Amino acid sequence: MIRLLVALLLFALPAGAQDERIVLGLSQYSVSITTNYVGSEILVYGAVRRDAPPPEDEPLDVIVAVEGPHTPVVVRRKDRNLGIWINSASVRVTSAPSFYAVATTGPLDDILSRTDDLRYRITIPAAIRSVGISAETDDPDSFVDALVRIREASGRYRINEGDVRLDQQTLFRTDIALPADLTEGQYRVRIFLTRGGQVLDVLERDIGVQKAGLERFLYTLSREQSLLYGLLSLAMAVLAGWGASALFQILRR
């Protein structure tokens, strides 16, 4: 009976699912946010390990997804009432990625089935709509669409179809640009091998993003020694005011 079940499971898997595996590398596994940080790029590269020649009937495709830390987001809609713009309704997304980028070897609609997209939450709509939502409106989807549209315009959500280079169905690479306003935390990198729209293999890696140098010192001080941080801020403000006043007096002479 056990042998029969194993045979049925193997038969149910897509062709080549047990023969192709991802071997991955990243150009860096950590990003330091300093005072002069203006963004960076992560090189994602790797190869496909096989136990047998690849099938010739359907090409292999690669999808790379980079996902930032999840944070709660409140999306508000403004309506004009008596000439004044006021908040009329809001939707609270309890957990949405602060950054989300997808790079592929081809059009997502052609290389990824809807079933596997819902299963692995790869595309932006699948990643966003899968999180919990509390709404004050009967149409929360329009607010989620607005969130995606705003973050796409700012570069924090994007899909780069065709940006993954795949050579001889074996070697692949792509560059993922990270914006300057990164949220501190763990960024998840996921790589998917697909054939005929079905996911054959998945590999995950993490990239740590944290403040460094003076920014790290000030951030830690403000969180762990809030009183001292406040006193230092007050002293610096007084010193700056006194210095400006002294300079003004010198210039008047």
Side-chain angles (χ1 to χ4, degrees):
M1 178 62 70
I2 295 178
R3 291 182 179 178
L4 178 60
L5 290 175
V6 172
L8 290 175
L9 287 174
L10 293 177
F11 180 76
L13 290 173
Q18 302 134 58
D19 300 331
E20 296 175 298
R21 293 289 182 266
I22 302 170
V23 180
L24 176 67
L26 298 175
S27 60
Q28 58 190 95
Y29 287 87
S30 64
V31 175
S32 298
I33 302 176
T34 59
T35 53
N36 59 350
Y37 178 79
V38 294
S40 60
E41 282 191 346
I42 300 295
L43 171 62
V44 182
Y45 61 94
V48 180
R49 184 181 62 191
R50 296 185 177 91
D51 299 327
E56 298 181 357
D57 54 344
E58 293 177 329
L60 182 72
D61 287 288
V62 179
I63 302 173
V64 177
V66 180
E67 182 178 2
H70 283 241
T71 57
V73 180
V74 177
V75 184
R76 294 183 174 89
R77 181 174 62 198
K78 291 183 179 294
D79 289 331
R80 192 170 184 177
N81 188 9
L82 299 177
I84 301 175
W85 290 97
I86 60 174
N87 295 328
S88 60
S90 65
V91 168
R92 178 180 175 83
V93 180
T94 57
S95 181
S98 57
F99 173 81
Y100 199 80
V102 178
T104 70
T105 51
L108 268 175
D109 292 340
D110 297 339
I111 66 176
L112 180 66
S113 67
R114 178 169 176 79
T115 300
D116 277 356
D117 184 23
L118 294 175
R119 178 183 179 186
Y120 294 101
R121 301 174 182 176
I122 298 174
T123 63
I124 294 175
I128 299 299
R129 296 181 191 279
S130 62
V131 300
I133 294 177
S134 59
E136 300 175 359
T137 177
D138 296 332
D139 186 23
D141 287 345
S142 63
F143 287 76
V144 177
D145 292 339
L147 171 64
V148 173
R149 185 171 62 253
I150 292 171
R151 293 197 168 180
E152 283 180 339
S154 65
R156 286 192 286 173
Y157 287 175
R158 56 179 178 266
I159 293 182
N160 301 321
E161 296 179 329
D163 272 17
V164 178
R165 178 179 176 182
L166 179 63
D167 294 330
Q168 299 179 354
Q169 297 196 55
T170 301
L171 302 176
F172 63 88
R173 61 162 292 165
T174 188
D175 294 304
I176 302 294
L178 301 178
D181 56 342
L182 283 180
T183 300
E184 194 175 18
Q186 291 294 318
Y187 283 65
R188 183 172 62 155
V189 180
R190 295 183 296 164
I191 294 86
F192 302 87
L193 292 184
T194 69
R195 193 182 292 277
Q198 294 182 320
V199 174
L200 306 180
D201 191 27
V202 184
L203 188 63
E204 294 188 12
R205 291 291 185 269
D206 289 332
I207 297 176
V209 176
Q210 63 178 3
K211 295 180 175 65
L214 179 60
E215 283 207 355
R216 183 65 182 177
F217 170 75
L218 294 176
Y219 177 83
T220 303
L221 186 65
S222 66
R223 294 297 185 273
E224 299 180 359
Q225 301 288 339
S226 56
L227 178 59
L228 179 59
Y229 178 80
L231 292 175
L232 286 176
S233 300
L234 180 61
M236 291 180 63
V238 171
L239 182 62
W242 176 84
S245 177
L247 179 61
F248 182 72
Q249 292 294 332
I250 294 174
L251 293 176
R252 290 186 59 184
R253 294 177 183 176

